[in-house]
Every structure is written in C-alpha cells, then in structure tokens.
Amino acid sequence: QLSDRQKMSESPLGRFRGVGLPPALHPFNKTLVKGGRWEDVDRAQEKRRSFLRDFCEKYNGRKKLQTHLVHLVSRIYVEDRHRVLYCEVPKAGCSNWKRVLMVLNGLAASAHNISHDDVHYGKHLRKLDSYDLKGIYTRLNTYTKTIFVRDPMERLVSAFRDKFEHPNSYYHPVFGKAIIKKYRHNANEEALKTGSGVKFKEFIQYLLDSHRPVGMDIHWEQVSKLCYPCLINYDFIGKFETLEEDANYFLQLVGAPAELKFPKFKDRHSSDERTNAEVVRQYLKELSKEERQLTYDFYYLDYLMFNYTSP
C-alpha cells in the first residue's frame, strides 16, 4: 500500500506503465462478427484510432497530464461478463449505453424497460475506480475499452437544453441560481429564487469564467478531462453521429447476445427535436463572435482528438 503522499507525488505514467501510450490495443475477435456489412464501420474504426494515436503522440510529447490513476478511471463503467470498459460521455448516448451494460451484465432482460432513474440513480453498475489498484490495472490491460463521443458544440447545446430548458430539481437551484445571480443584471426576485430561465448566453459566460460561481459538471466537461483518451488507449471509438451502427458493431465484437441491439429511443424529452447542426447554429447566434471563438477554444482538444470540423 502506497502512502497518500507517495500516491499524490508520483506520476501515473511512471507508476502504471501501460496506462499511457503506447500499450498495444486489445485485439478484437472478428470471427464473432456475422455478415459482411460491417466493413465500412471497421475501416472507420481503424481511421479514428490511428488519428487519435497520432494526435496523442504529438500532444503527449509536449505535455504530460499529471493525474492520479483512480481519477483517470472515475468515469469508466465495468461490465465483467463480457470484459467491457465503457467511459461515460454525457449527451453522447450514455443512458442507452448504461441500459445495454445492464443487459450484458444479466441485470435486466431488455434495454427497453429500464427507466431513466434506474439507469442513473440505481447504482446497478460498478465504476472502475471502485476496484483496488490491482483490479483497475488488470481490467485496463485485459478488457475491451470503448468511448462514444459527439461533436462538442452539439453536446454542449444538448446539455443546456436538457438541464436548463426543462424543469430540473438539481440544475436550476444549484447552477441556475448562481448563474443568474452573477451574470444577469437586474435579475428579478423570482429568477433569483428558482434559478429557472437561464439564457444560453449566460450559461456560456459561466462556462468561460475562470472564477465560476459553481464548479464544472460532467455534462459539459471536455471529453479530454472525462476519459483521458491520451492516457487510456480506447480499443473502440464510437461517434454519436453514427451511434447505432457503431454500437451494434461493437456489441458483435464483444460477443453480446445476438438479440441485443442498441436502443433507438430518445431517453428524455422525446418530443423535442434532437440537437443537430441547425439547432446549434440558432443557439450560437445568441453569442458574440468572441464568445463563439472562446467556446470553441474551450473544446479545442476534443475537436482535435476526434477529428471534428470546427463550426
């Protein structure tokens, strides 16, 4: 057992060789894949992994992320039966991914009858940071690691719409009240009391403020800080833009039951239009040119790592 002082002072890259670059990726057993329709998806995977690896080699040459191992893996969910590690990126299909993990783990018969609250508050799934160091290290080196990402601006706008444009008993009183108090001049008593009605421009002011009145939140935290893609070598990089196809291919690769398919339904606010490029454009119109640039800069690494085009 290392003392707390040792743990804090030593770099995870030095102590845990194999967590950072360049360990070999986990080889997939492609004999499990049925049918020839997956060739394009497989090629896209090769490109994404190669692109990320090249980026990380250049980036890591200049800057080493100094973060303790337990923090590195704090967003990673474990599915022991099929030996899967899934790093949660909110607003990129994570609710349905957790449903799938519950089915894979034998905790539910179908992904379609698991409620939102059961997914997020049921504590049915274990995270990697709940294991001891040996358990973490072993799983990182032997399990199939996947991450699903989304265009950063789409993810940001989707998070804002979900948390601030609908009634919410946590985000309005905790984030909404603080945001309105700091960034809205002449705010009325009702807004200050409830925290409801935060405008997108006010939300961006909070996001870009180095002295935020409340901390960051996983729904708009950068993927580079949620999943550390340059320190953990993900075997499979899925994208929200090709979610179903990527997810169903991944399920075949890990030997999931043939009848298990990635759910198509929208988890909440199903009557709302999905956040897409056009919806994002409307929200960005509320910002000044400088604010738009600074927001892009905030997610700059996510754009680069996953080869997204700047808006």
Side-chain angles (χ1 to χ4, degrees), residues 24 35 108 144 175 183 255:
T144 305
F175 286 86
Y183 308 108

Side-chain angles (χ1 to χ4, degrees), residues 251-270:
L251 289 173
Q252 288 209 16
L253 286 169
V254 297
E259 66 277 8
L260 178 60
K261 299 286 183 281
F262 193 80
K264 293 180 182 181
F265 59 83
K266 195 172 188 283
D267 191 51
R268 291 202 301 172
H269 317 311
S270 53

Side-chain angles (χ1 to χ4, degrees), residues 246-302:
D246 289 350
N248 287 327
Y249 180 50
F250 178 79
L251 289 173
Q252 288 209 16
L253 286 169
V254 297
E259 66 277 8
L260 178 60
K261 299 286 183 281
F262 193 80
K264 293 180 182 181
F265 59 83
K266 195 172 188 283
D267 191 51
R268 291 202 301 172
H269 317 311
S270 53
S271 60
D272 287 7
E273 181 187 2
R274 270 202 190 275
T275 303
N276 55 32
E278 185 47 46
V279 170
V280 168
R281 200 170 288 122
Q282 297 307 315
Y283 279 82
L284 293 183
K285 279 181 184 175
E286 298 175 31
L287 308 180
S288 68
K289 191 176 178 184
E290 184 190 15
E291 286 168 329
R292 287 198 294 268
Q293 181 63 48
L294 289 170
T295 307
Y296 169 73
D297 293 345
F298 186 82
Y299 291 105
Y300 182 59
L301 276 186
D302 288 1

Side-chain angles (χ1 to χ4, degrees), residues 63-276:
K63 182 180 177 184
K64 287 279 190 282
L65 288 166
Q66 299 294 317
T67 309
H68 190 260
L69 178 75
V70 174
H71 180 70
L72 284 184
V73 302
S74 64
R75 302 305 324 161
I76 295 180
Y77 284 87
V78 179
E79 198 285 287
D80 281 316
R81 279 188 176 185
H82 296 79
R83 299 161 70 86
V84 168
L85 298 180
Y86 162 71
C87 189
E88 176 190 27
V89 176
K91 312 311 296 176
C94 72
S95 299
N96 280 339
W97 258 116
K98 288 186 200 170
R99 289 184 171 94
V100 165
L101 293 177
M102 286 170 72
V103 174
L104 285 174
N105 220 8
L107 299 168
S110 163
H112 291 271
N113 46 21
I114 307 170
S115 72
H116 177 87
D117 284 358
D118 224 14
V119 165
H120 291 286
Y121 311 116
K123 305 216 183 302
H124 301 292
L125 297 166
R126 278 187 80 173
K127 287 185 185 165
L128 194 49
D129 63 354
S130 69
Y131 294 83
D132 61 17
L133 288 179
K134 186 185 175 191
I136 293 172
Y137 185 59
T138 302
R139 284 169 178 81
L140 273 179
N141 279 298
T142 58
Y143 283 22
T144 305
K145 302 175 288 296
T146 185
I147 180 174
F148 273 69
V149 298
R150 185 177 187 177
D151 174 275
M153 288 295 185
E154 274 192 28
R155 191 178 150 242
L156 177 68
V157 171
S158 176
F160 172 78
R161 293 174 75 200
D162 180 25
K163 304 306 178 194
F164 295 104
E165 291 185 351
H166 295 275
N168 192 295
S169 60
Y170 172 71
Y171 284 90
H172 291 198
V174 174
F175 286 86
K177 281 164 78 168
I179 289 171
I180 289 169
K181 185 179 177 185
K182 182 159 187 183
Y183 308 108
R184 186 179 299 177
H185 305 298
N186 308 317
N188 66 41
E189 215 172 298
E190 180 69 11
L192 289 167
K193 187 176 151 190
T194 64
S196 298
V198 169
K199 295 179 172 66
F200 186 62
K201 190 180 178 75
E202 294 166 338
F203 172 64
I204 295 301
Q205 286 176 295
Y206 143 79
L207 183 79
L208 300 175
D209 189 346
S210 57
H211 302 288
R212 290 184 199 101
V214 272
M216 271 302 281
D217 182 84
I218 61 167
H219 289 84
W220 43 87
E221 181 67 277
Q222 301 104 315
V223 178
S224 55
K225 290 185 180 175
L226 288 172
C227 297
Y228 296 95
C230 280
L231 291 178
I232 297 170
N233 255 321
Y234 289 94
D235 305 293
F236 192 97
I237 302 164
K239 289 197 169 183
F240 186 80
E241 295 75 13
T242 49
L243 176 60
E244 254 180 84
E245 206 170 25
D246 289 350
N248 287 327
Y249 180 50
F250 178 79
L251 289 173
Q252 288 209 16
L253 286 169
V254 297
E259 66 277 8
L260 178 60
K261 299 286 183 281
F262 193 80
K264 293 180 182 181
F265 59 83
K266 195 172 188 283
D267 191 51
R268 291 202 301 172
H269 317 311
S270 53
S271 60
D272 287 7
E273 181 187 2
R274 270 202 190 275
T275 303
N276 55 32

